[in-house]
Amino acid sequence: MAVERFACGDELPEGCIATALSLTSPKDACRLALVASTFRSAAESDAVWERFLPPDYYDIISRSIDGPDSLDFGSKKDLYLYLCDNPILIDGGTKSFSLEKGSGKKCYMLAARSLQIVWVDTPRHWRWISLPESRFSEVAELLDVCWFDISGKINTNMLSPDTTYGAYLVFTTKTRTCGFENQPAESSVGIAGHERYTHTFYLNPQGGRRQYRYQVVPRRLGIFTHHMARILREETEDAPKGCRPKQRSDGWMEIELGEFFVKRGQEAEVEISLTEVKGGDRKAGLIIEGIDIRPKE
C-alpha cells in the first residue's frame, strides 16, 4: 500500500511534484494531472506553467498592440492556453505571436506589411485591403505583375532553441486568379550566410495544372505541299501532393516554403524568399496575409 501511495504522489510534497512536472511538457503535465489529486493540484500551479511559458514571455506580451493589461489572467495556465488559441498582435501589428500547444514553443506570423514585396507601392500592381477574416488590419492583394517577388526576415533569437521551424506562405485567392497555373514558383529559406533550403511548387490550389504547348510542323499531303497544323501536346505532371497549397483551420491557405533549425545560443537572420520571375506571364488574384513561422511536427 505504501508503494502504491508513493507512486500516486501521496507521500511527496506538492512543491516537489510541481518541480518535477515543470521539467516535462504541457502535454505530459495535463496527462499526469489525471493520476491523482496531488498531481492535479500541482499541475495547475503557476510554478509549473511559468516554466512552460517562454523565458521572455512578458517582454513579448508587453509589445501587444492592446497592451499587457489585456493579457492579465488569473493563472499562468490560463495565459498559456490563451496564447495557444489566440495569436496576439505585436510590434505595431506587423507580427502575431502564439504558442504551440503541445510544447510551448514560439510561433510567429510576419504580416504582409512587414515583408519586402516588389512593386507593392505601385497601385496598378498591388493594393492594400482589409479583410474581416484576417488577423491583421491589412493584407496585400496582387493586381497585375509579371515579376512576383516576396521576402522576409526573422532573427533566431526570437524563436525557441533546438527546434526545427517551417516557414509557410499564408494566402487566399480571388475568383479570377491567373499566372500561377503552369510556371512553378521558387522559394528559398535559410540562415544568412549558410546553406539554404530551396523548393519549387505551384501556387494555384490544384497544384500544377496540365500544360499544353502547340507547334505547327510541315506535312506533305498528296501531290500538294503545304503546312498543316499538327498539335503536339505535352502534358506536365501534376505537382506532388506535398507541393500543393493546403487549407488551414482559420480559412486561409498555406504552402510550405522551407525549413531551418535554430541552435541554442544562435543569433542570426533567417532569410525567406518566394519568387516567380521566369515565366513572364501576367499574374493576379492572390491575397497575401503573411509568412507563418512555427515548429515542425
Side-chain angles (χ1 to χ4, degrees):
M1 180 63 71
V3 173
E4 292 177 358
R5 291 180 64 194
F6 182 82
C8 290
D10 292 341
E11 297 293 333
L12 292 176
E14 184 175 315
C16 293
I17 298 174
T19 300
L21 290 176
S22 69
L23 299 176
T24 63
S25 69
K27 184 182 294 185
D28 290 335
C30 291
R31 288 172 176 170
L32 289 169
L34 302 176
V35 173
S37 60
T38 307
F39 279 121
R40 186 160 53 252
S41 177
E44 297 288 331
S45 70
D46 280 352
V48 171
W49 291 92
E50 181 91 24
R51 290 287 297 269
F52 294 152
L53 289 163
D56 58 345
Y57 79 90
Y58 189 78
D59 174 66
I60 295 171
I61 64 176
S62 69
R63 290 148 50 196
S64 167
I65 62 172
D66 296 322
D69 292 342
S70 64
L71 299 169
D72 186 15
F73 289 89
S75 71
K76 292 297 190 293
K77 180 180 180 181
D78 288 342
L79 174 61
Y80 178 94
L81 295 176
Y82 181 86
L83 292 174
C84 292
D85 297 329
N86 302 276
I88 61 171
L89 299 184
I90 61 172
D91 298 343
T94 60
K95 302 181 188 72
S96 72
F97 169 78
S98 60
L99 297 176
E100 198 281 316
K101 184 173 286 187
S103 66
K105 294 185 176 182
K106 301 176 185 177
C107 308
Y108 288 91
M109 188 186 293
L110 308 179
R113 271 290 185 189
S114 70
L115 304 177
Q116 291 74 54
I117 303 176
V118 173
W119 303 114
V120 74
D121 294 323
T122 306
R124 68 188 182 92
H125 294 311
W126 292 85
R127 69 173 177 176
W128 295 102
I129 61 173
S130 296
L131 292 180
E133 58 267 32
S134 175
R135 68 184 64 180
F136 300 112
S137 61
E138 290 181 305
V139 293
E141 180 184 358
L142 173 59
L143 299 179
D144 187 358
V145 298
C146 292
W147 189 282
F148 182 76
D149 190 327
I150 298 175
S151 61
K153 295 181 180 180
I154 190 169
N155 199 292
T156 55
N157 64 10
M158 296 174 60
L159 303 171
S160 299
D162 301 327
T163 302
T164 299
Y165 274 87
Y168 306 81
L169 179 72
V170 181
F171 68 102
T172 189
T173 59
K174 300 189 71 174
T175 304
R176 296 180 63 82
T177 302
C178 65
F180 297 99
E181 299 89 349
N182 301 321
Q183 184 66 36
E186 299 180 358
S187 67
S188 173
V189 176
I191 307 295
H194 292 74
E195 184 177 0
R196 292 189 171 201
Y197 177 105
T198 58
H199 192 40
T200 59
F201 51 82
Y202 290 90
L203 278 171
N204 60 309
Q206 290 75 34
R209 201 172 74 184
R210 294 195 179 277
Q211 179 179 358
Y212 301 94
R213 296 191 182 96
Y214 300 92
Q215 181 180 357
V216 178
V217 298
R219 181 181 177 184
R220 184 178 298 275
L221 181 62
I223 61 174
F224 300 100
T225 301
H226 58 85
H227 290 293
M228 300 289 291
R230 176 182 295 176
I231 299 176
L232 300 178
R233 185 170 64 185
E234 300 176 1
E235 300 181 339
T236 60
E237 295 294 326
D238 285 347
K241 291 183 179 180
C243 298
R244 299 176 183 175
K246 298 178 181 178
Q247 194 77 29
R248 291 163 52 99
S249 60
D250 59 7
W252 291 78
M253 290 185 289
E254 70 175 22
I255 191 161
E256 184 176 349
L257 304 177
E259 64 180 48
F260 58 95
F261 183 76
V262 178
K263 297 179 182 178
R264 184 171 296 276
Q266 183 181 42
E267 184 171 352
E269 290 285 337
V270 179
E271 299 176 337
I272 306 164
S273 65
L274 170 65
T275 60
E276 201 296 277
V277 298
K278 296 180 179 178
D281 295 335
R282 171 183 174 268
K283 295 174 247 317
L286 288 188
I287 298 174
I288 308 298
E289 184 177 38
I291 294 179
D292 199 19
I293 299 167
R294 64 178 188 263
K296 298 199 71 175
E297 296 179 358

